[in-house]
């Protein structure tokens, strides 16, 4: 005996706003969505849309070294702002975006770097004032308008935040002579000035492992490793004011990104906060709690999480969740950046267990997609990566909330990574691989993150500054000579084309994901993989009804066929995307044939009883 599953919700919902994709009574609040249900758009405000040219130079006057504004240089401000983001919310809505994560918007030191090698804080990571937006982006009023406009469309807002460093203000008296080399706690203990043979300082201080206020009250002299020097014209440049005191920084020189220096060293010269200090913990909780209370934001992406001691996060994360709860914001999402370019997720998982992060950016997923879709490794890489989901605190269920992505502003765009792995690749194949990767991103477990511009076929020249192109007409030559995929346009034009094949693909899969809870909240089971490029398939199950969905992808450059395991009660399928078989070949098996770089997303429509 067989029974039929209820008909599919129409894919016509692709044109319906996520804010409107509620039940008929309109009772569903956007804040009731779980983190796994979000489709996130990550954007650098400076590079998205210029809604107000009058703020292009921020709060400064003078040339580019004073204002940071130079739209012809990829390392300076280009003019994008909060008004521009607000003006383009309908575009993002039609793309299917349900949450916007943007690079830090806090007031930055406009320009840093040695003479001849200067660049600007357009990216937001050189903060001087943690209490207001950078003048290049707008005001607190304009930020509130942006948040309210996003919420009116049912979109959440995730802020990118920084707790372990500020802008580079503090210098060291001995720094120029030593090239700011890192000075360890063993060679330069807190108890002596300038090394083990130096004069006694900080009498009674028992080291940073005793994090009590009583102990840290005895730390009064910051010149144990280097002698901090604050330029007179920057002595009060940081807000809140307590940030101007060198006692709240490690002052040990530049990190080497390994060992002790990874947590105690200055990140590329940026002033490294003493996050073991109870005043720093208290101060950061106050700073970011106020952003939640004042603006009603929905989550934090936490920068450089692995460069901060676990005890800080063990205090900070619960405090933020408590603040959000008190503000009536359920499902407040906090995810840490723990960079690691390997598909082995054990390293990043430790930050959910020891440090207490609810989620981390899924760098393991990104690397697994690069290796399978970009480099042509076997699809077993994906299976092994998903097997590691049990390592996260909360296991496979918690892994559903991990923000998954393909590329970003640091590592580069997925298209750029594929070109680096395949220097001779043609535009048609590059587009096909990028489309496949996005189809997988929007169907497999996790909360998918679209990197701004990917939906317009952007192809950068590399990572960092080379991956941060303008969406509005660019004046940067190194961007404008890029050969974009799926279009004849260049970055010299405005790129908000809703007929671009990648925009259309992302919008299509976003609609499928939103209208089928199995793809956002459902358990995932790997059904098929190979030791070489070929078919990778999973089943996902509706969390309420148990209904099965089959998603299969071909990472090979040739057609592939396979018999895929499905539930033994499955009998026939409805087609959501690609070409699905009408019915099973036998109980427990479905025959699939996929074109090169193709996919099929199928819903079991008939089951045996």
């Amino acid at each position: 005996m067989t029974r039929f599953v209820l008909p599919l919700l129409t894919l016509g919902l692709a044109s319906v706003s996520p804010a409107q994709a509620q039940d008929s009574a309109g009772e569903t609040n956007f804040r009731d969505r779980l983190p796994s249900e979000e489709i996130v758009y990550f954007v650098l405000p400076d590079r998205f849309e210029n809604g107000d040219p009058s703020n292009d130079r921020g709060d400064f006057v003078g040339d580019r070294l004073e204002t940071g504004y130079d739209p012809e240089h990829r390392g300076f401000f280009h003019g994008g702002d909060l008004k521009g983001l607000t003006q383009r919310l309908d575009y993002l809505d039609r793309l299917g975006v349900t949450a916007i994560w943007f690079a830090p918007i806090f007031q930055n030191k406009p320009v840093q770097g040695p003479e001849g090698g200067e660049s600007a804080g357009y990216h937001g990571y050189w903060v001087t004032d943690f209490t207001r937006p950078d003048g290049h982006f707008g005001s607190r009023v304009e930020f509130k308008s942006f948040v309210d406009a996003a919420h009116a469309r049912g979109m959440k807002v995730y802020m990118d935040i920084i707790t372990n460093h500020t802008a580079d203000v503090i210098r060291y008296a001995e720094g120029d002579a030593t090239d700011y080399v890192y000075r360890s706690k063993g060679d330069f203990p807190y108890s002596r000035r300038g090394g083990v043979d130096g004069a006694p300082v900080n009498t009674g201080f028992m080291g940073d492992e005793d994090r009590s206020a009583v102990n840290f009250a005895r730390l009064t002299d910051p010149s144990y490793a280097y002698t901090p020097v604050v330029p007179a014209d920057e002595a009060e440049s940081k807000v809140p004011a307590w940030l101007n005191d060198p006692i709240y920084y490690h002052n040990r020189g530049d990190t080497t990104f390994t060992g002790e220096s990874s947590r105690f060293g200055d990140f590329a010269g940026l002033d490294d906060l003493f996050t073991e200090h109870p005043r720093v913990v208290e101060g950061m909780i106050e700073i970011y709690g106020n952003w939640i209370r004042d603006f009603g934001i929905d989550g934090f992406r936490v920068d450089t999480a692995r460069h901060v001691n676990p005890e800080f996060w063990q205090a900070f994360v619960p405090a933020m969740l408590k603040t959000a709860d008190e503000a009536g914001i359920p499902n407040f999402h906090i995810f840490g950046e723990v960079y690691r370019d390997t598909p082995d997720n054990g390293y990043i998982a430790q930050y959910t267990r020891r440090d207490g992060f609810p989620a981390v950016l899924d760098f393991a997923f990104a690397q697994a997609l690069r290796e399978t879709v970009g480099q042509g490794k076997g699809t077993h890489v994906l299976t092994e990566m998903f097997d590691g989901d049990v390592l996260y605190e909360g296991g496979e269920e918690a892994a559903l909330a991990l923000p998954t992505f393909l590329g970003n502003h640091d590592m580069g765009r997925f298209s750029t990574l594929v070109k680096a792995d395949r220097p001779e690749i043609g535009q048609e194949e590059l587009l096909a691989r990028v489309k496949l990767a996005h189809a997988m991103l929007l169907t497999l477990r996790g909360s998918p993150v679209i990197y701004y511009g990917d939906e317009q076929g952007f192809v950068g020249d590399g990572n960092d500054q080379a991956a941060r192109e303008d969406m509005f007409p660019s004046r940067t030559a190194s961007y404008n000579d890029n050969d974009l995929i799926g279009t004849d346009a260049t970055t010299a034009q405005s790129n908000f084309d809703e007929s671009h094949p990648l925009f259309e693909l992302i919008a299509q899969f976003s609609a499928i994901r939103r209208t089928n809870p199995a793809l956002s909240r459902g358990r995932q089971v790997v059904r098929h993989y190979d030791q070489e490029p070929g078919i990778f398939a999973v089943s996902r199950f509706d969390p309420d009804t148990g209904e099965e969905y089959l998603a299969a992808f071909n990472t090979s450059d040739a057609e592939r066929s396979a018999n895929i395991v499905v539930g033994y009660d499955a009998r026939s399928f409805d087609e959501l995307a690609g070409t699905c078989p009408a019915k099973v070949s036998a109980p427990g098996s479905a025959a699939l044939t996929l074109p090169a770089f193709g996919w099929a997303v199928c819903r079991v429509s008939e089951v045996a009883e």
Side-chain angles (χ1 to χ4, degrees):
M1 182 177 179
T2 62
R3 65 179 175 86
F4 292 90
V5 178
L6 292 174
L8 281 169
L9 292 174
T10 174
L11 290 186
L13 280 177
S15 62
V16 175
S17 163
Q20 299 168 330
Q22 304 174 353
D23 58 37
S24 58
E27 296 174 351
T28 303
N29 188 294
F30 71 94
R31 281 192 164 133
D32 292 333
R33 295 193 306 259
L34 297 174
S36 66
E37 296 180 271
E38 307 305 341
I39 299 165
V40 186
Y41 191 82
F42 173 43
V43 59
L44 275 69
D46 180 63
R47 304 299 166 91
F48 188 65
E49 181 65 288
N50 190 347
D52 182 7
S54 71
N55 64 24
D56 287 354
R57 291 168 176 78
D59 302 328
F60 307 95
V61 295
D63 63 15
R64 69 180 196 140
L65 297 183
E66 298 293 330
T67 68
Y69 177 69
D70 182 357
E72 296 183 3
H73 192 294
R74 67 184 190 181
F76 281 72
F77 283 96
H78 288 184
D81 49 34
L82 288 165
K83 283 188 176 180
L85 267 175
T86 307
Q87 291 169 6
R88 291 291 185 180
L89 283 174
D90 287 342
Y91 164 86
L92 297 179
D93 203 4
R94 289 188 289 272
L95 183 62
V97 169
T98 66
I100 301 169
W101 154 31
F102 45 84
I105 61 162
F106 313 107
Q107 180 64 48
N108 269 225
K109 187 173 182 177
V111 178
Q112 291 185 177
E115 184 176 354
E118 302 92 347
S119 63
Y122 69 93
H123 42 68
Y125 295 100
W126 299 343
V127 184
T128 54
D129 187 342
F130 286 83
T131 68
R132 68 181 180 100
D134 192 293
H136 293 87
F137 301 145
S139 65
R140 284 173 62 90
V141 170
E142 288 167 330
F143 181 67
K144 184 66 164 63
S145 296
F146 164 72
V147 174
D148 290 348
H151 284 171
R153 291 166 173 79
M155 295 180 183
K156 294 182 180 179
V157 175
Y158 296 161
M159 293 185 72
D160 200 315
I161 67 169
I162 305 145
T163 66
N164 82 309
H165 65 260
T166 70
D168 184 8
V169 172
I170 300 172
R171 310 297 294 171
Y172 304 142
E174 309 86 353
D176 291 339
T178 62
D179 199 26
Y180 291 83
V181 66
Y182 183 77
R183 291 183 166 181
S184 72
K185 293 194 291 181
D187 292 331
F188 295 86
Y190 298 109
S191 59
R192 294 291 186 270
R193 180 178 289 120
V196 293
D197 296 326
V201 293
N202 302 316
T203 302
F205 181 63
M206 301 304 291
D208 54 57
E209 294 180 4
D210 179 351
R211 298 177 182 86
S212 67
V214 171
N215 182 49
F216 270 89
R218 303 183 187 111
L219 182 70
T220 58
D221 189 336
S223 58
Y224 37 81
Y226 283 101
T227 306
V229 177
V230 179
D233 61 346
E234 295 185 276
E236 298 180 0
S237 62
K238 298 179 184 179
V239 180
W242 63 267
L243 288 164
N244 293 302
D245 190 339
I247 201 68
Y248 299 124
Y249 298 84
H250 285 132
N251 302 312
R252 289 190 173 275
D254 289 342
T255 181
T256 63
F257 300 99
T258 59
E260 176 188 301
S261 79
S262 181
R263 288 184 181 159
F264 289 85
D266 294 344
F267 193 107
L270 299 168
D271 299 348
D272 195 66
L273 281 158
F274 207 140
T275 48
E276 296 80 8
H277 199 301
R279 180 65 182 93
V280 175
V281 178
E282 173 192 324
M284 285 294 158
I285 288 174
E286 181 181 17
I287 286 169
Y288 291 115
N290 285 338
W291 283 93
I292 297 173
R293 286 185 285 265
D294 293 349
F295 299 100
I297 57 171
D298 306 284
F300 290 144
R301 178 268 195 184
V302 182
D303 183 57
T304 55
R306 70 188 180 103
H307 299 293
V308 175
N309 57 300
E311 297 81 7
F312 178 91
W313 301 126
Q314 291 162 9
F316 181 85
V317 170
M320 294 301 98
L321 294 176
K322 182 175 184 290
T323 300
D325 182 64
E326 292 171 347
I329 306 172
N331 300 310
F332 192 87
H333 198 28
I334 302 177
F335 50 101
E337 180 213 21
V338 182
Y339 182 82
R340 192 76 161 187
D341 55 353
T342 171
D344 180 355
N345 43 18
Y347 179 83
I348 62 176
Q350 68 180 295
Y351 289 85
T352 67
R353 288 190 171 272
R354 180 196 60 219
D355 298 49
F357 274 101
V360 289
L361 279 167
D362 199 347
F363 279 90
F365 179 96
Q367 183 65 20
L369 263 290
R370 179 179 184 180
E371 292 186 8
T372 53
V373 179
Q375 297 174 351
K377 292 185 180 180
T379 54
H380 67 282
V381 172
L382 289 163
T383 301
E384 292 164 5
M385 183 269 296
F386 286 128
D387 282 345
D389 284 353
V390 297
L391 299 173
Y392 297 102
E393 184 68 30
E396 293 175 335
E397 183 175 354
L400 294 173
L402 299 179
T404 51
F405 63 99
L406 302 175
N408 63 26
H409 61 319
D410 290 326
M411 62 193 294
R413 298 184 181 278
F414 185 77
S415 56
T416 310
L417 298 174
V418 174
K419 285 187 68 175
D421 293 332
R422 299 175 174 274
E424 304 304 319
I425 194 170
Q427 291 291 89
E428 184 177 349
E429 182 181 339
L430 180 60
L431 176 60
R433 289 183 185 269
V434 171
K435 290 175 72 173
L436 172 61
H438 279 90
M440 297 173 77
L441 174 70
L442 287 156
T443 309
L444 298 171
R445 75 98 180 101
S447 176
V449 178
I450 308 299
Y451 183 41
Y452 88 99
D454 280 0
E455 79 279 11
Q456 296 296 327
F458 281 17
V459 180
D461 293 321
N463 62 357
D464 198 73
Q465 294 180 7
R468 302 171 181 178
E469 305 95 320
D470 304 311
M471 293 277 283
F472 58 96
S474 181
R475 294 165 57 186
T476 307
S478 64
Y479 295 158
N480 293 341
D481 64 3
N482 293 346
D483 191 2
L484 310 188
I485 54 175
T487 179
D488 292 328
T490 72
T491 55
Q493 304 163 240
S494 180
N495 280 277
F496 294 93
D497 178 11
E498 298 184 21
S499 66
H500 191 288
L502 281 165
F503 184 100
E504 291 182 336
L505 175 85
I506 293 169
Q508 175 198 8
F509 273 86
S510 295
I512 294 171
R513 184 181 182 90
R514 290 198 313 270
T515 54
N516 294 279
L519 302 180
S520 59
R521 295 190 288 119
R523 179 171 60 95
Q524 175 176 290
V525 176
V526 174
R527 293 300 201 185
H528 187 91
Y529 61 94
D530 293 308
Q531 298 298 313
E532 56 188 24
I535 293 179
F536 177 75
V538 302
S539 285
R540 302 204 63 181
F541 297 89
D542 188 289
D544 300 316
T545 67
E547 293 165 354
E548 183 175 1
Y549 290 68
L550 180 65
F553 311 92
N554 180 11
T555 65
S556 169
D557 60 2
E559 182 181 271
R560 290 285 185 267
S561 299
N563 293 316
I564 309 297
V565 174
V566 293
Y568 273 73
D569 60 347
R571 291 295 178 266
S572 61
F573 300 94
D574 282 327
E575 192 173 275
L576 277 70
T579 301
C580 298
K583 57 183 61 180
V584 298
S585 305
S589 181
L592 277 181
T593 297
L594 299 179
F597 310 124
W599 54 77
V601 182
C602 318
R603 175 178 177 268
V604 174
S605 58
E606 182 184 0
V607 295
E609 292 187 344

